[in-house]
Amino acid sequence: MSDRFTINRRAMLGGTAALAAGAALPAHAEDNKRIVVGTWGGDYSRLLAKDIETPLLVPKGWDVVKDEANDPPRRAKVLAEKSLRRGTSDLQGVSASNMFEMNEQGTLEQLDYSKMANAANLIPAMKYPYGVGHIYSGKVILFNPKLMSAPTSFAETLDPKQGAKLGIIDIQYQYTMIAAGLASGGKMDNLDPGKERLIACKKAGARIYPSNEAFAQALKTEEIACGIMWKARAVQWQKAGINVETVAAAEGVPMYISGFVMPKNAPNKAGAYAYLDAMLSPSAQEGFAVDMGYNPTVTNAKVPDDLQKRIGFTPEEQKRLVDLDYGYLAKNDAAFQEWWNKSFKG
């Protein structure tokens, strides 16, 4: 599951090709019991089936068809289908930042929450006019207690003094810039103060890894001792035997929210609402907490105390949860990528 992407020309061309390849989907979607869901593959898709579709939708006669791909081509396909009376999907799974971008493009249905009974328990921060938060986590500090004492802040973690002990994930460039910005006195709508800090870390020997998985391997082999990542991922890595602990940074905990949106031209909107409502049921939310380490977005989900301590946040830490400035990020993302690739990575 990818946390942040931007539609570019290649993605658009890929989406157009996918549109042609998926031409058969609308015929299926016209069946009022067929729901076409665009989502990432792998564990996420498997858990959607395990915790939502098989126990809650199949018994009611719903037939869920998955359109699995990374989110850039799926978002591109929705945009390419914008002028069509009927699109090829009923729901698309994307991050909150990509929800914002898709809505700005005019492709999304504005949701009627009265059609989802379980939305009554939805955390307000997860209730967007154009999308529903499914799971969330926060960007926290990860460290190996064998190799170093616990940092308390992003400033202490993203510090040149860490040298080669610090690991940075390439695909997490936005959130790394957010953490560095907060560590350097910036705000969610001004990340520039963190750039000098990141360049100093790179010069001091900080290691850059291409993916979350590569970063995890470096933690496992003790090539690095610290970095920043989703708390949910840390929980997964702890379960896999990696010696890593987490800290909610003093500057704040930027949130990652993954959820679903409904294209304006979704062929089965009733089915889409049925899926969203099932997604918000306590049992489905509890299943994802256990299986994937992400926090529920509804208040009536009951997570075991020991698991809650690992995946969740204390009342004091919850006060430091901060949502992103999606407008600022969307407006500046191209510039961020250019700076990251040319000035930071060099």
Side-chain angles (χ1 to χ4, degrees), residues 311-325:
I311 72 173
F313 299 91
T314 67
E316 181 59 34
E317 291 169 346
Q318 288 176 11
K319 295 177 183 177
R320 301 204 297 277
L321 290 172
V322 290
D323 205 356
L324 311 188
D325 186 328

Side-chain angles (χ1 to χ4, degrees), residues 23 119 135 187 201 245 282 315:
I135 52 177
K187 303 295 183 182
C201 287
E245 294 184 7

Side-chain angles (χ1 to χ4, degrees), residues 87-219:
T88 59
S89 64
D90 299 304
L91 290 171
Q92 289 288 338
V94 292
S95 69
S97 58
N98 287 333
M99 290 184 197
F100 177 88
E101 287 190 21
M102 294 177 76
N103 188 61
E104 290 291 293
Q105 293 166 346
T107 62
L108 300 184
E109 182 83 359
Q110 303 303 291
L111 298 177
D112 181 353
Y113 279 86
S114 70
K115 295 182 178 180
M116 296 171 270
N118 287 312
N121 300 299
L122 190 61
I123 296 171
M126 310 298 164
K127 187 176 181 179
Y128 300 91
Y130 45 79
V132 184
H134 174 211
I135 52 177
Y136 82 93
S137 190
K139 184 68 77 173
V140 296
I141 300 161
L142 273 60
F143 74 100
N144 184 331
K146 174 184 172 182
L147 302 178
M148 64 184 292
S149 58
T152 61
S153 64
F154 287 138
E156 190 177 348
T157 307
L158 299 175
D159 189 314
K161 72 179 182 182
Q162 303 295 357
K165 294 191 302 182
L166 171 63
I168 294 174
I169 304 170
D170 189 17
I171 63 171
Q172 298 280 343
Y173 68 93
Q174 271 201 353
Y175 286 91
T176 302
M177 291 180 69
I178 288 170
L182 294 176
S184 305
K187 303 295 183 182
M188 296 303 286
D189 60 354
N190 179 19
L191 305 183
D192 286 343
K195 292 179 177 178
E196 184 177 345
R197 172 183 294 273
L198 288 175
I199 289 175
C201 287
K202 172 73 181 309
K203 289 180 178 178
R207 302 174 187 269
I208 301 175
Y209 297 95
S211 65
N212 302 333
E213 292 74 18
F215 177 82
Q217 182 63 25
L219 283 172

